Amino acid sequence: MTIAPTDVEQAATRTAPQAAGTASPGEGAQTNNAVPPALPPAPGRAAADYSGYRIVAARHPWRWAGTAVVALGLAAVLWSLATNPRWEWDVVAQWFTAESVIRGLGETLKLTVIAGALGFVLGFILALMRLSASPLLVSVSWTFSWIFRSTPLLVQMLLWYNLGYLYEKISLGIPFTSVTFFEVQTTTLVSQFAAAILGLTLNQAAYSAEIIRGGILSVDQGQLEAAAALGIPAWRRSTRIVLPQAMRSILPTAFNEIIGLVKGTSIVYVLAYSELFYTVQVIYNRTQQVLPLLLVATLWYIVITSVLSVFQYYIERHYAKGAVRTLPLTPLQKARKFFTIRTNARNLT
Amino acid sequence: MTLADSQTTVLTRTTAVAPTRGLVEITAVHKSFGSLHVLRGVSLTVEPGSVTAILGPSGSGKSTLLRTINHLEKVDAGYVAIDGSLVGYRKRGNSLHELREKDILKQRTGIGMVFQNFNLFGHLTALENVVEAPVVAQGKTKAEARRRGLELLERVGLGDKAGAYPRQLSGGQQQRVAIARALALDPKILLFDEPTSALDPELVNEVLDVIRELATSGTTLVIVTHEMGFARDVADTVVFMDQGQIVESGTPAEIFANPREERTRGFLSKIIEPAFNI
């Protein structure tokens, strides 16, 4: 805009004679909106009329230069990925859909879904406990988060798996009496799968409790007050009024956690549990094709994360209802709009 | 309610028997927040079907008093009774037993409240806001609540906004939805906590008009407000509060034209004089 002042002056002088001609009828709207006929232009100052001018967009040469540099870099990376034979893409392709890998992928997804769901449900309960008026519930919830956030997941996992060493049998009965309803060997109860789920779930619950608590705190107190004044019961207040509104701040962090969990499940290799990562380890220990097989696992993790990101986008959009005046267009809608405008333009010309 | 309807209710109100529901008795109520003594022995009786306006400088305890009526604030001493039954407590022999949450919620369904900041549920549409409480707290069917909800939105002039989210509405429209939401429970008492204080001046009247219409409906209204002209026109009783106490109360004519207390006179002269003469 640095050139604007001189431009305006020029424009003003150029339009001066035109403005003087407004008195004659039939001049058209162009001059009419420049000067109201009732008010003649003040002496020494002509009203400007820019309606006949062509608008030239500002140029951004550095933006183009930056784009070119990045595109060049990107091309170089892709070129080396494609042409360097040591990536062994043929091996990657060979193992990518191998039966054992797919089975491992299934296990990874199973662990993620179960531990994620249970973790967030438990986390929600812990968050409500933490926000309750009972000092006992508050401190139990706090202690839970404290313990599980301050010990390494690896240690937790090994502890659960070796629970049978600490407690040989697990029994259900009346405490402080000899009455027992059933009794079971700990090692049969806590399998690899159970240990993995226990470890991942409890750890996840500790983190999600804090995320959910943060979300709940972000909702205006007036919402709870209004709900209470309307006689809406406490549980319904939490689930129907507060939680949906808390979701907007919970979701981005929650998806961070779930994406972290997808890859975090690889930690169960310490239990020799054959999920995706453990499976490729077993394979490359046999075939010695370490890098290509790590790539197989990596690509699958990328696929899962990409799918989750799409989910995240739409779920966040769902909970944005009412929080924004008009929802932004989805990529699909944007694409459709882009093409309709294109076709309309083509039809016009 | 159309204009014709409201006229008939005026008629019934003046000719038929007076409303019997919605008597509020506040007796020697004290309330402190920490070291701040907000209410200092307030006693007030609000007759069924009457309209009471509570005026006073900010910090005088008006809103707190209003909130004790539906037990959003628990009183430290004294008691509040509605139609003879205590708010928040049950009398058993010589002792008062605190009610459980469930019973308090039930009591509240008889008392509607409209807030300064509307407090509409932002993730629900106007109609969903209105329908929620009748379904959950009163056990009405969804269809029934929807029908009644649409009727109420129509009545506050927002029949065409049923599907709009609060953020898509102006402040005045939001407050009218909030009034419809409070009415959905068919309360015998309606509490208004500075209903127009958060509104732009040109939106104030659309809300006041709705309240003015409710004043003739037989529901007891208690209104904390800074709108002096409105209080004078609509209220049966005007209560002036200062420093946690009721300084004086009376008919609008008495309070506005002839205040007995110096404090009332001082407050009114500060607020009213530029606006209009009495």
Side-chain angles (χ1 to χ4, degrees):
Chain A
M1 288 302 281
T2 47
I3 53 163
T6 51
D7 240 17
V8 169
E9 276 165 34
Q10 281 171 10
T13 45
R14 248 179 291 157
T15 43
Q18 207 183 352
T22 39
S24 65
E27 269 275 336
Q30 202 185 337
T31 42
N32 267 346
N33 58 23
V35 179
L39 280 171
R45 223 188 106 189
D49 175 17
Y50 302 108
S51 51
Y53 287 68
R54 190 168 60 92
I55 292 168
V56 181
R59 293 204 174 84
H60 303 281
W62 285 109
R63 197 183 290 169
W64 284 106
T67 310
V69 169
V70 171
L72 211 66
L74 219 61
V77 170
L78 289 176
W79 178 253
S80 93
L81 279 176
T83 54
N84 186 347
R86 300 219 177 156
W87 286 107
E88 297 180 79
W89 290 109
D90 53 326
V91 182
V92 174
Q94 179 200 337
W95 285 106
F96 192 65
T97 49
E99 200 200 329
S100 53
V101 171
I102 297 294
R103 217 182 303 123
L105 177 70
E107 291 300 319
T108 292
L109 289 175
K110 193 164 88 182
L111 286 178
T112 308
V113 169
I114 295 176
L118 291 179
F120 270 91
V121 168
L122 187 56
F124 179 54
I125 295 167
L126 283 167
L128 289 186
M129 283 168 69
R130 185 77 185 275
L131 293 169
S132 88
S134 152
L136 181 68
L137 293 185
V138 172
S139 40
V140 166
S141 170
W142 184 88
T143 312
F144 183 94
S145 288
W146 175 64
I147 289 174
F148 284 94
R149 288 198 303 175
S150 48
T151 51
L153 181 54
L154 198 69
V155 176
Q156 289 172 31
M157 207 71 87
L158 289 172
L159 264 179
W160 287 119
Y161 192 51
N162 294 308
L163 199 63
Y165 173 77
L166 297 169
Y167 302 94
E168 246 175 72
K169 285 172 185 166
I170 289 174
S171 58
L172 185 71
I174 299 167
F176 313 116
T177 64
S178 56
V179 183
T180 48
F181 302 122
F182 79 87
E183 199 176 63
V184 67
Q185 287 287 329
T186 307
T187 42
T188 47
L189 194 68
V190 185
S191 61
Q192 282 166 319
F193 177 69
I197 288 293
L198 261 175
L200 290 171
T201 299
L202 296 180
N203 194 66
Q204 193 55 52
Y207 285 95
S208 30
E210 288 298 290
I211 293 169
I212 294 168
R213 188 170 70 94
I216 291 174
L217 289 180
S218 74
V219 177
D220 180 29
Q221 192 63 24
Q223 296 284 309
L224 272 178
E225 217 162 56
L230 285 167
I232 297 170
W235 177 253
R236 180 87 179 169
R237 286 203 292 266
S238 309
T239 54
R240 169 77 168 163
I241 305 299
V242 177
L243 198 60
Q245 300 189 68
M247 279 306 229
R248 254 176 81 70
S249 51
I250 290 174
L251 279 172
T253 335
F255 267 94
N256 248 356
E257 283 292 307
I258 290 174
I259 287 169
L261 182 63
V262 172
K263 292 168 288 167
T265 52
S266 61
I267 205 167
V268 301
Y269 82 90
V270 294
L271 311 177
Y273 187 91
S274 52
E275 45 68 66
L276 182 60
F277 190 67
Y278 184 78
T279 308
V280 299
Q281 272 184 313
V282 169
I283 299 170
Y284 72 59
N285 280 335
R286 202 175 61 223
T287 65
Q288 297 305 313
Q289 295 159 318
V290 179
L291 271 178
L293 275 154
L294 283 178
L295 269 178
V296 167
T298 308
L299 286 176
W300 273 120
Y301 285 129
I302 291 175
V303 168
I304 299 173
T305 309
S306 311
V307 173
L308 280 175
S309 303
V310 174
F311 275 119
Q312 174 175 7
Y313 178 83
Y314 283 96
I315 294 176
E316 279 184 15
R317 198 166 181 280
H318 171 79
Y319 282 104
K321 257 191 323 188
V324 286
R325 282 186 183 209
T326 43
L327 285 178
L329 294 177
T330 64
L332 262 178
Q333 288 169 331
K334 269 186 208 156
R336 212 171 294 145
K337 192 177 158 197
F338 180 77
F339 285 116
T340 33
I341 288 171
R342 277 285 165 102
T343 24
N344 288 349
R346 205 177 310 131
N347 291 345
L348 279 173
T349 51
Chain B
M1 192 195 290
T2 63
L3 197 64
D5 285 336
S6 69
Q7 277 165 351
T8 47
T9 28
V10 177
L11 221 65
T12 46
R13 194 183 167 205
T14 43
T15 54
V17 285
T20 50
R21 282 172 7 125
L23 169 70
V24 183
E25 292 164 295
I26 301 170
T27 311
V29 160
H30 284 264
K31 175 74 189 176
S32 299
F33 294 116
S35 59
L36 192 67
H37 203 161
V38 184
L39 295 179
R40 302 160 184 258
V42 176
S43 296
L44 176 68
T45 303
V46 179
E47 295 298 333
S50 69
V51 179
T52 302
I54 304 178
L55 315 177
S58 50
S60 58
K62 306 174 302 254
S63 290
T64 309
L65 180 67
L66 197 71
R67 291 156 61 87
T68 60
I69 297 175
N70 66 352
H71 209 59
L72 275 184
E73 283 324 332
K74 215 153 105 179
V75 298
D76 297 337
Y79 61 87
V80 179
I82 288 172
D83 291 335
S85 63
L86 290 175
V87 171
Y89 297 91
R90 182 181 289 129
K91 191 168 158 274
R92 208 179 281 160
N94 277 333
S95 46
L96 295 180
H97 295 260
E98 207 175 320
L99 288 181
R100 284 172 312 155
E101 166 93 4
K102 210 177 94 188
D103 300 311
I104 293 173
L105 290 175
K106 206 169 159 196
Q107 273 187 339
R108 283 193 187 137
T109 57
I111 312 166
M113 183 153 189
V114 174
F115 298 86
Q116 183 177 349
N117 297 318
F118 330 134
N119 289 344
L120 287 179
F121 305 132
H123 61 305
L124 303 180
T125 63
L127 184 60
E128 286 168 340
N129 262 282
V130 177
V131 165
E132 178 70 14
V135 171
V136 178
Q138 287 184 324
K140 283 192 187 165
T141 64
K142 276 210 173 122
E144 193 187 342
R146 276 182 70 88
R147 194 184 47 72
R148 173 94 176 112
L150 283 170
E151 213 176 277
L152 286 168
L153 286 176
E154 200 71 53
R155 182 167 159 192
V156 297
L158 293 171
D160 55 332
K161 297 286 185 191
Y165 286 97
R167 272 192 196 85
Q168 296 164 334
L169 300 173
S170 74
Q173 291 172 329
Q174 286 189 48
Q175 192 61 299
R176 285 188 280 153
V177 173
I179 292 173
R181 180 174 73 173
L183 287 173
L185 291 164
D186 291 313
K188 43 191 176 182
I189 301 161
L190 266 175
L191 310 174
F192 291 87
D193 189 1
E194 305 197 20
T196 59
S197 297
L199 297 177
D200 289 337
E202 81 267 25
L203 301 177
V204 167
N205 277 327
E206 63 185 65
V207 171
L208 293 186
D209 287 343
V210 171
I211 303 175
R212 195 170 280 133
E213 198 197 271
L214 291 173
T216 59
S217 68
T219 312
T220 309
L221 304 189
V222 185
I223 309 165
V224 169
T225 186
H226 289 297
E227 299 288 333
M228 297 300 148
F230 174 72
R232 196 180 56 163
D233 290 350
V234 172
D236 304 315
T237 310
V238 173
V239 175
F240 176 69
M241 281 185 78
D242 192 19
Q243 294 178 355
Q245 287 173 322
I246 292 179
V247 178
E248 67 175 301
S249 66
T251 63
E254 286 166 3
I255 299 289
F256 286 109
N258 233 338
R260 287 190 307 271
E261 300 289 329
E262 185 54 43
R263 271 191 285 175
T264 319
R265 226 171 288 149
F267 175 73
L268 291 177
S269 70
K270 255 183 268 165
I271 286 199
I272 292 177
E273 236 151 46
F276 57 87
N277 302 314
I278 299 165

